[in-house]
Amino acid sequence: MKHTLKYLKPYMGFFFVILLAKLTAAVLELMIPSALGDILDIAAPSGSVSLIVRYGLKMAIFALCTATLNMSSNITSSHFIHKAVERLRQDLFQKVSTLSSAQLDDVTEASAVTRLTSDTYNITQMLIGCMTMGIRTPILMVGGIIVALQEDVMLTLVLFLAVPMVTLVAIHGNRIAVPKFRARQAASDHMVRTVQENVTGIRVIKALSKTEHEKKRFDAVNADLAEKTMDASLVSSKKSNTNILILNLMQALMILVGALRVNAGLMTAGKIVAFMSYFTMITNAALNIANILMMVSNGTASAQRMAEIFEKPQDLQVQDIPQDENPCALEFRNVRFSYLGQADNLENLSFRLEKGQTLGIIGATGSGKTTLVNLLLRFYDVDEGAIFIHGQDIRSIEDGALREKFGVAMQSDFLVADTTQNNIDFYRHLPKENLLEAAKIAQAEEFIREKEGGMDYPLAIKGANLSGGQKQRLLIARAVASKPEILILDDSSSALDYRTDASLRRALSENLHDTTKIIVAQRVSSIANADLILVLEDGKVIGQGKHQDLLHSCEEYAHIARIQMEAVGEEVAHCG
Ligand SMILES: Nc1ncnc2c1ncn2[C@@H]1O[C@H](COP(=O)(O)OP(=O)(O)O)[C@@H](O)[C@H]1O
Ligand SMILES: [Mg+2]
């Protein structure tokens, strides 16, 4: 909470002025019912029109001043609060983007999104609620009771009966309503997730004839949302109706007691009218206090969730590690790593590559291929061992300098709804000839030329208007375009046919002499020419060497190679 309030600091001067305005407005508001009573008790019986008008004007001026002061301070405070929350959201976004992958795994992406949206909304509501009602309400409550006591002690006792009842009903109602609203929010999140999955997975769903199944799944979440929404509104409606009932009964009681006292000559009709106004003012204040308490409780919880992110220490700091004495372009030395600190996802991994060499990595899904890439990019830090680039431990290289060394095409990368050129450049402002050359190396030149507008051809979201192989080639072009020191292609040629894949490999070795290449592939043919091949299984290296050596030394590798050769043979035969 302290962290959140810090954002209001620059506006403290304004908030002080707003506080004064609110205070004045509340005092004026307190005087309106008395003025009303005076019109009835003093001005009306006097028979003097000018006196009635004078009293009427006095009341109107009070009302006008109150409204103007309240409105302008509400608008101003809401303006500053939105500004403060905007900065808070900006900083949160900044912080989320600097979280390490391990920290983000811990927070989860979905929760990061909620914190940026719903939680900042709750905080805004709390701050606005406190500014607009938090000052005015207690003044009206306490001041109202003091004035009411002076007007008539007997009627104030009726008031004392009503206020706790209304407050209790409101607080109790909120206590029941809050979990119901949370449940509604969860149901709504669930529905959004389901729709999202359906929209992104719509082709798979159709292809697998799962449409009916998905429809049922949606029906279920939709019905759940409707039920939870109804539940929540029922509680709200019960609460407000009970309160209306209490207020009406109390008002009736008050009029009854008041009428008896007028009858006995103990008070005037004007005082009853004034009293009714105080009654409304005070009971409304009681309801507002219950609402403020709810907003503060929600807002504090959200501020807490926000603070959890801000308090995360900066992970993956740059460390002071001396240069290694036996440098090469890239080295993994006895690397061990586990995502969750349980079973190892990579163990005892060691290899060395010279500048311009190619490393091929092959292994079943889940064997740790992408994990190796994640460690090299320092998305995670190794648990044991070290990774060196030209003898420099990657933990001792500045973030930006480290990232600049790489050109990467990951499995999870995607294209954006922009031109082909901007997708290859990816907003790095690379020279146009680099982009064209990259497209050529990535075997994308021909299909780009065939598209209307060529490099200006607009891609749909996630490149939906391209084939799988075309998308992969653009991602490879993007990775190659910066002429990186180290090129990483993580399973990024799987959708290419054998011939294009072979041309790609040739172009890479002809054009990127100095680039050290890491190629993760499912096909033996994609990595057969590599200077070094790693065969991974369950995070362990079960074979390491060149293609010819592995055919003899690694049974699994030989097995994969044999099966794939047969498949290629069949494919070629079919084509023939
Ligand atoms: N962020 C993560 N948190 C926990 N476990 C992970 C994470 N990413 C991958 N894993 C696990 O690590 C293992 C290796 O995954 P990965 O390197 O992606 O395999 P692949 O060889 O298919 O690229 C798998 O068992 C996977 O479930
Ligand atoms: Mg992978």
Side-chain angles (χ1 to χ4, degrees):
M1 193 63 179
K2 230 169 53 205
H3 181 273
T4 303
L5 292 181
K6 203 178 73 190
Y7 285 84
L8 295 179
K9 240 185 181 159
Y11 311 111
M12 273 312 168
F14 293 105
F15 287 136
F16 184 70
V17 175
I18 291 168
L19 187 115
L20 283 183
K22 280 274 177 191
L23 209 78
T24 318
V27 172
L28 285 175
E29 196 171 346
L30 274 173
M31 286 155 71
I32 294 174
S34 279
L36 177 66
D38 288 348
I39 294 181
L40 295 176
D41 285 346
I42 303 170
S46 76
S48 152
V49 175
S50 76
L51 198 63
I52 296 177
V53 171
R54 243 197 1 248
Y55 271 94
L57 268 177
K58 180 174 138 194
M59 201 181 131
I61 288 170
F62 281 177
L64 210 68
C65 289
T66 310
T68 316
L69 283 172
N70 267 331
M71 202 148 63
S72 51
S73 39
N74 286 357
I75 292 172
T76 329
S77 60
S78 139
H79 173 77
F80 290 126
I81 287 167
H82 282 299
K83 281 247 166 278
V85 174
E86 184 186 332
R87 276 201 45 218
L88 170 72
R89 217 181 290 123
Q90 183 73 34
D91 285 356
L92 185 68
F93 179 73
Q94 200 76 30
K95 178 75 191 180
V96 167
S97 51
T98 61
L99 289 183
S100 69
S101 302
Q103 287 171 327
L104 203 55
D105 285 350
D106 189 35
V107 175
T108 78
E109 281 172 26
S111 174
V113 172
T114 328
R115 285 170 217 230
L116 272 163
T117 50
S118 315
D119 283 330
T120 48
Y121 174 77
N122 283 348
I123 290 176
T124 314
Q125 290 300 99
M126 170 182 75
L127 295 176
I128 289 183
C130 285
M131 279 309 288
T132 52
M133 299 189 293
I135 302 162
R136 176 171 170 261
T137 305
I139 298 176
L140 290 187
M141 180 88 154
V142 177
I145 290 174
I146 293 171
V147 182
L149 271 173
Q150 282 170 354
E151 298 266 339
D152 194 287
V153 179
M154 201 59 183
L155 283 190
T156 315
L157 289 181
V158 181
L159 194 70
F160 278 156
L161 211 63
V163 170
M165 276 206 276
V166 176
T167 318
L168 282 181
V169 169
I171 289 178
H172 179 67
N174 286 348
R175 202 165 282 158
I176 302 174
V178 168
K180 301 246 180 220
F181 276 107
R182 298 240 161 97
R184 199 207 86 90
Q185 188 56 42
S188 153
D189 287 350
H190 191 185
M191 167 136 147
V192 170
R193 246 192 347 264
T194 310
V195 171
Q196 231 167 20
E197 277 170 18
N198 262 285
V199 174
T200 32
I202 200 142
R203 290 180 198 185
V204 187
I205 291 163
K206 278 188 181 153
L208 298 178
S209 313
K210 285 276 193 228
T211 323
E212 199 46 42
H213 172 259
E214 286 305 314
K215 193 170 157 289
K216 279 200 190 119
R217 202 157 79 99
F218 182 79
D219 285 349
V221 287
N222 193 14
D224 185 48
L225 177 60
E227 190 188 321
K228 299 264 161 66
T229 308
M230 215 133 78
D231 245 20
S233 13
L234 203 68
V235 174
S236 285
S237 138
K238 268 187 196 159
K239 178 185 80 177
S240 47
N241 282 312
T242 312
N243 269 335
I244 290 172
L245 177 71
I246 296 174
L247 292 180
N248 282 338
L249 287 177
M250 288 300 139
Q251 247 173 7
L253 182 65
M254 198 169 271
I255 291 179
L256 187 76
V257 174
L260 287 174
R261 289 172 66 71
V262 172
N263 202 27
L266 294 172
M267 77 185 295
T268 57
K271 281 219 183 312
I272 296 187
V273 175
F275 220 90
M276 295 302 288
S277 290
Y278 285 120
F279 177 83
T280 316
M281 193 184 276
I282 293 164
T283 45
N284 273 338
L287 289 176
N288 281 343
I289 285 174
N291 281 339
I292 293 175
L293 287 180
M294 183 173 75
M295 283 183 201
V296 169
S297 126
N298 280 347
T300 328
S302 291
Q304 177 58 33
R305 281 158 55 79
M306 206 76 81
E308 269 168 34
I309 301 227
F310 281 116
E311 280 160 12
K312 290 221 179 270
Q314 209 215 315
D315 223 357
L316 308 179
Q317 284 185 351
V318 177
Q319 298 166 21
D320 208 4
I321 303 172
Q323 174 88 9
D324 192 62
E325 282 161 11
N326 184 17
C328 62
L330 174 64
E331 178 178 2
F332 271 57
R333 192 182 296 165
N334 302 323
V335 167
R336 190 183 69 75
F337 173 74
S338 163
Y339 284 104
L340 306 170
Q342 292 157 4
D344 283 349
N345 297 100
L346 268 187
E347 55 189 86
N348 203 22
L349 179 69
S350 295
F351 65 85
R352 285 171 69 91
L353 288 177
E354 298 303 334
K355 187 171 171 183
Q357 283 194 325
T358 301
L359 170 75
I361 306 174
I362 197 162
T365 352
S367 57
K369 305 183 296 291
T370 300
T371 307
L372 186 155
V373 172
N374 285 341
L375 293 180
L376 176 56
L377 293 169
R378 209 184 174 207
F379 288 156
Y380 301 84
D381 264 344
V382 296
D383 291 334
E384 260 174 41
I387 301 169
F388 301 94
I389 295 176
H390 292 299
Q392 255 190 305
D393 191 311
I394 58 167
R395 286 169 293 194
S396 67
I397 305 174
E398 283 289 341
D399 214 41
L402 180 66
R403 297 276 142 78
E404 250 173 31
K405 293 180 189 292
F406 300 105
V408 192
M410 298 283 270
Q411 277 166 315
S412 53
D413 283 354
F414 57 88
L415 297 163
V416 291
D418 203 332
T419 60
T420 305
Q421 173 164 327
N422 285 344
N423 265 286
I424 298 178
D425 179 43
F426 213 58
Y427 316 110
R428 290 170 292 181
H429 308 295
L430 301 170
K432 176 110 190 230
E433 59 271 22
N434 279 27
L435 307 181
L436 291 170
E437 194 189 338
K440 202 166 170 181
I441 296 173
Q443 310 299 308
E445 193 190 25
E446 197 180 313
F447 88 78
I448 293 176
R449 204 178 323 117
E450 283 165 10
K451 297 277 180 201
E452 199 182 321
M455 287 290 262
D456 295 324
Y457 178 68
L459 302 192
I461 297 172
K462 292 193 181 174
N465 52 352
L466 295 180
S467 77
Q470 290 171 338
K471 278 189 268 194
Q472 284 194 335
R473 277 178 270 175
L474 287 190
L475 291 174
I476 295 171
R478 183 191 285 172
V480 170
S482 63
K483 303 198 164 147
E485 192 178 319
I486 300 174
L487 174 72
I488 303 174
L489 303 182
D490 185 358
D491 220 349
S492 37
S493 60
S494 55
L496 303 188
D497 58 71
Y498 279 87
R499 219 179 49 200
T500 312
D501 193 18
S503 313
L504 167 71
R505 267 176 285 126
R506 206 172 318 115
L508 286 178
S509 69
E510 281 169 8
N511 293 285
L512 299 170
H513 293 292
D514 293 340
T515 299
T516 310
K517 303 161 208 79
I518 298 182
I519 298 181
V520 175
Q522 298 288 340
R523 294 185 201 145
V524 169
S525 63
S526 306
I527 53 163
N529 290 327
D531 300 288
L532 177 69
I533 297 170
L534 296 180
V535 189
L536 293 182
E537 190 178 277
D538 287 337
K540 287 186 265 303
V541 179
I542 56 164
Q544 184 161 356
K546 283 191 187 288
H547 176 70
Q548 285 304 331
D549 305 332
L550 286 170
L551 285 178
H552 299 110
S553 64
C554 179
E555 211 176 295
E556 284 77 5
Y557 185 80
H559 181 65
I560 306 171
R562 204 166 43 246
I563 296 176
Q564 290 188 354
M565 283 309 163
E566 282 164 14
V568 176
E570 275 173 27
E571 197 173 292
V572 171
H574 276 301
C575 290

mmCIF file of all heavy atoms in Angstrom, residues 105 339-340 345 363-372 374 380 411 490, ligand 1:
data_model
loop_
_atom_site.group_PDB
_atom_site.id
_atom_site.type_symbol
_atom_site.label_atom_id
_atom_site.label_comp_id
_atom_site.label_asym_id
_atom_site.label_seq_id
_atom_site.Cartn_x
_atom_site.Cartn_y
_atom_site.Cartn_z
ATOM 1 N N ASP A 105 7.519 -17.305 -14.591
ATOM 2 C CA ASP A 105 6.909 -18.631 -14.399
ATOM 3 C C ASP A 105 6.174 -18.652 -13.073
ATOM 4 O O ASP A 105 5.086 -19.193 -12.948
ATOM 5 C CB ASP A 105 7.985 -19.730 -14.352
ATOM 6 C CG ASP A 105 8.551 -20.035 -15.730
ATOM 7 O OD1 ASP A 105 7.985 -19.533 -16.717
ATOM 8 O OD2 ASP A 105 9.553 -20.771 -15.804
ATOM 9 N N TYR A 339 14.255 -26.431 -13.811
ATOM 10 C CA TYR A 339 13.323 -25.287 -13.761
ATOM 11 C C TYR A 339 12.745 -25.110 -12.366
ATOM 12 O O TYR A 339 12.614 -24.016 -11.861
ATOM 13 C CB TYR A 339 12.147 -25.510 -14.730
ATOM 14 C CG TYR A 339 12.504 -25.280 -16.173
ATOM 15 C CD1 TYR A 339 12.695 -26.351 -17.037
ATOM 16 C CD2 TYR A 339 12.628 -23.993 -16.666
ATOM 17 C CE1 TYR A 339 12.992 -26.148 -18.371
ATOM 18 C CE2 TYR A 339 12.934 -23.781 -18.005
ATOM 19 C CZ TYR A 339 13.113 -24.855 -18.845
ATOM 20 O OH TYR A 339 13.415 -24.646 -20.146
ATOM 21 N N LEU A 340 12.367 -26.243 -11.765
ATOM 22 C CA LEU A 340 11.628 -26.148 -10.510
ATOM 23 C C LEU A 340 12.465 -26.558 -9.306
ATOM 24 O O LEU A 340 11.948 -26.704 -8.211
ATOM 25 C CB LEU A 340 10.371 -27.024 -10.585
ATOM 26 C CG LEU A 340 9.466 -26.740 -11.790
ATOM 27 C CD1 LEU A 340 8.385 -27.795 -11.924
ATOM 28 C CD2 LEU A 340 8.836 -25.359 -11.665
ATOM 29 N N ASN A 345 16.521 -30.795 -15.610
ATOM 30 C CA ASN A 345 16.048 -30.716 -16.985
ATOM 31 C C ASN A 345 17.221 -30.731 -17.955
ATOM 32 O O ASN A 345 17.061 -30.951 -19.140
ATOM 33 C CB ASN A 345 15.200 -29.464 -17.189
ATOM 34 C CG ASN A 345 13.945 -29.484 -16.328
ATOM 35 O OD1 ASN A 345 13.884 -28.861 -15.278
ATOM 36 N ND2 ASN A 345 12.961 -30.260 -16.744
ATOM 37 N N GLY A 363 16.711 -34.670 -30.493
ATOM 38 C CA GLY A 363 16.202 -35.397 -29.328
ATOM 39 C C GLY A 363 14.687 -35.314 -29.317
ATOM 40 O O GLY A 363 14.109 -34.419 -29.944
ATOM 41 N N ALA A 364 14.059 -36.217 -28.588
ATOM 42 C CA ALA A 364 12.600 -36.249 -28.542
ATOM 43 C C ALA A 364 12.049 -34.980 -27.901
ATOM 44 O O ALA A 364 12.804 -34.220 -27.293
ATOM 45 C CB ALA A 364 12.154 -37.473 -27.743
ATOM 46 N N THR A 365 10.756 -34.743 -28.018
ATOM 47 C CA THR A 365 10.145 -33.583 -27.361
ATOM 48 C C THR A 365 10.336 -33.720 -25.853
ATOM 49 O O THR A 365 10.200 -34.816 -25.322
ATOM 50 C CB THR A 365 8.613 -33.532 -27.607
ATOM 51 O OG1 THR A 365 8.277 -34.522 -28.539
ATOM 52 C CG2 THR A 365 8.155 -32.184 -28.014
ATOM 53 N N GLY A 366 10.674 -32.615 -25.221
ATOM 54 C CA GLY A 366 10.856 -32.641 -23.773
ATOM 55 C C GLY A 366 12.233 -33.113 -23.355
ATOM 56 O O GLY A 366 12.494 -33.294 -22.170
ATOM 57 N N SER A 367 13.150 -33.310 -24.327
ATOM 58 C CA SER A 367 14.465 -33.842 -23.950
ATOM 59 C C SER A 367 15.399 -32.725 -23.460
ATOM 60 O O SER A 367 16.469 -33.016 -22.941
ATOM 61 C CB SER A 367 15.086 -34.589 -25.130
ATOM 62 O OG SER A 367 15.175 -33.725 -26.237
ATOM 63 N N GLY A 368 15.006 -31.461 -23.626
ATOM 64 C CA GLY A 368 15.831 -30.379 -23.079
ATOM 65 C C GLY A 368 16.488 -29.499 -24.127
ATOM 66 O O GLY A 368 17.349 -28.678 -23.794
ATOM 67 N N LYS A 369 16.067 -29.618 -25.394
ATOM 68 C CA LYS A 369 16.704 -28.849 -26.471
ATOM 69 C C LYS A 369 16.467 -27.345 -26.276
ATOM 70 O O LYS A 369 17.400 -26.549 -26.296
ATOM 71 C CB LYS A 369 16.147 -29.296 -27.843
ATOM 72 C CG LYS A 369 16.285 -30.791 -28.090
ATOM 73 C CD LYS A 369 15.791 -31.202 -29.467
ATOM 74 C CE LYS A 369 14.293 -30.972 -29.699
ATOM 75 N NZ LYS A 369 13.415 -31.847 -28.910
ATOM 76 N N THR A 370 15.188 -26.979 -26.060
ATOM 77 C CA THR A 370 14.877 -25.559 -25.875
ATOM 78 C C THR A 370 15.462 -25.053 -24.560
ATOM 79 O O THR A 370 15.874 -23.894 -24.455
ATOM 80 C CB THR A 370 13.346 -25.348 -25.921
ATOM 81 O OG1 THR A 370 12.885 -25.797 -27.189
ATOM 82 C CG2 THR A 370 12.963 -23.896 -25.733
ATOM 83 N N THR A 371 15.544 -25.941 -23.564
ATOM 84 C CA THR A 371 16.131 -25.550 -22.282
ATOM 85 C C THR A 371 17.575 -25.095 -22.484
ATOM 86 O O THR A 371 18.007 -24.076 -21.929
ATOM 87 C CB THR A 371 16.070 -26.727 -21.298
ATOM 88 O OG1 THR A 371 14.721 -27.188 -21.236
ATOM 89 C CG2 THR A 371 16.549 -26.342 -19.925
ATOM 90 N N LEU A 372 18.311 -25.837 -23.316
ATOM 91 C CA LEU A 372 19.700 -25.470 -23.600
ATOM 92 C C LEU A 372 19.753 -24.061 -24.195
ATOM 93 O O LEU A 372 20.560 -23.216 -23.788
ATOM 94 C CB LEU A 372 20.277 -26.500 -24.573
ATOM 95 C CG LEU A 372 21.755 -26.432 -24.939
ATOM 96 C CD1 LEU A 372 22.231 -27.812 -25.377
ATOM 97 C CD2 LEU A 372 22.082 -25.432 -26.004
ATOM 98 N N ASN A 374 17.458 -21.715 -23.887
ATOM 99 C CA ASN A 374 17.054 -20.758 -22.842
ATOM 100 C C ASN A 374 18.222 -20.388 -21.943
ATOM 101 O O ASN A 374 18.336 -19.248 -21.494
ATOM 102 C CB ASN A 374 15.951 -21.355 -21.960
ATOM 103 C CG ASN A 374 14.604 -21.371 -22.661
ATOM 104 O OD1 ASN A 374 14.406 -20.651 -23.629
ATOM 105 N ND2 ASN A 374 13.690 -22.187 -22.178
ATOM 106 N N TYR A 380 17.321 -18.095 -18.099
ATOM 107 C CA TYR A 380 17.489 -18.696 -16.766
ATOM 108 C C TYR A 380 18.984 -18.821 -16.506
ATOM 109 O O TYR A 380 19.767 -18.914 -17.461
ATOM 110 C CB TYR A 380 16.869 -20.094 -16.707
ATOM 111 C CG TYR A 380 15.398 -20.147 -17.020
ATOM 112 C CD1 TYR A 380 14.939 -20.214 -18.336
ATOM 113 C CD2 TYR A 380 14.449 -20.138 -15.996
ATOM 114 C CE1 TYR A 380 13.580 -20.269 -18.623
ATOM 115 C CE2 TYR A 380 13.088 -20.197 -16.276
ATOM 116 C CZ TYR A 380 12.659 -20.256 -17.593
ATOM 117 O OH TYR A 380 11.325 -20.316 -17.873
ATOM 118 N N GLN A 411 10.722 -21.662 -31.356
ATOM 119 C CA GLN A 411 9.466 -22.344 -31.722
ATOM 120 C C GLN A 411 8.269 -21.443 -31.470
ATOM 121 O O GLN A 411 7.307 -21.442 -32.212
ATOM 122 C CB GLN A 411 9.288 -23.588 -30.848
ATOM 123 C CG GLN A 411 10.029 -24.791 -31.341
ATOM 124 C CD GLN A 411 10.072 -25.845 -30.241
ATOM 125 O OE1 GLN A 411 10.347 -25.556 -29.097
ATOM 126 N NE2 GLN A 411 9.773 -27.067 -30.617
ATOM 127 N N ASP A 490 15.699 -22.801 -33.342
ATOM 128 C CA ASP A 490 15.126 -23.856 -32.509
ATOM 129 C C ASP A 490 13.939 -24.474 -33.228
ATOM 130 O O ASP A 490 12.839 -23.924 -33.222
ATOM 131 C CB ASP A 490 14.699 -23.278 -31.148
ATOM 132 C CG ASP A 490 14.207 -24.376 -30.205
ATOM 133 O OD1 ASP A 490 14.165 -25.557 -30.632
ATOM 134 O OD2 ASP A 490 13.865 -24.066 -29.048
HETATM 135 N N1 LIG B 1 9.120 -23.025 -17.866
HETATM 136 C C1 LIG B 1 9.208 -24.311 -17.489
HETATM 137 N N2 LIG B 1 8.939 -24.677 -16.218
HETATM 138 C C2 LIG B 1 9.028 -25.971 -15.829
HETATM 139 N N3 LIG B 1 9.363 -26.978 -16.641
HETATM 140 C C3 LIG B 1 9.659 -26.685 -17.919
HETATM 141 C C4 LIG B 1 9.577 -25.345 -18.415
HETATM 142 N N4 LIG B 1 9.908 -25.363 -19.732
HETATM 143 C C5 LIG B 1 10.167 -26.646 -20.043
HETATM 144 N N5 LIG B 1 10.018 -27.449 -18.960
HETATM 145 C C6 LIG B 1 10.248 -28.908 -18.903
HETATM 146 O O1 LIG B 1 11.609 -29.157 -19.217
HETATM 147 C C7 LIG B 1 11.731 -30.296 -20.043
HETATM 148 C C8 LIG B 1 12.506 -29.950 -21.311
HETATM 149 O O2 LIG B 1 11.733 -29.064 -22.081
HETATM 150 P P1 LIG B 1 12.244 -28.430 -23.443
HETATM 151 O O3 LIG B 1 13.644 -28.026 -23.278
HETATM 152 O O4 LIG B 1 11.278 -27.400 -23.853
HETATM 153 O O5 LIG B 1 12.141 -29.686 -24.427
HETATM 154 P P2 LIG B 1 12.383 -29.755 -25.980
HETATM 155 O O6 LIG B 1 13.482 -30.735 -26.152
HETATM 156 O O7 LIG B 1 11.118 -30.300 -26.560
HETATM 157 O O8 LIG B 1 12.686 -28.396 -26.499
HETATM 158 C C9 LIG B 1 10.332 -30.798 -20.303
HETATM 159 O O9 LIG B 1 10.074 -31.875 -19.416
HETATM 160 C C10 LIG B 1 9.452 -29.620 -19.971
HETATM 161 O O10 LIG B 1 8.222 -30.053 -19.469
#
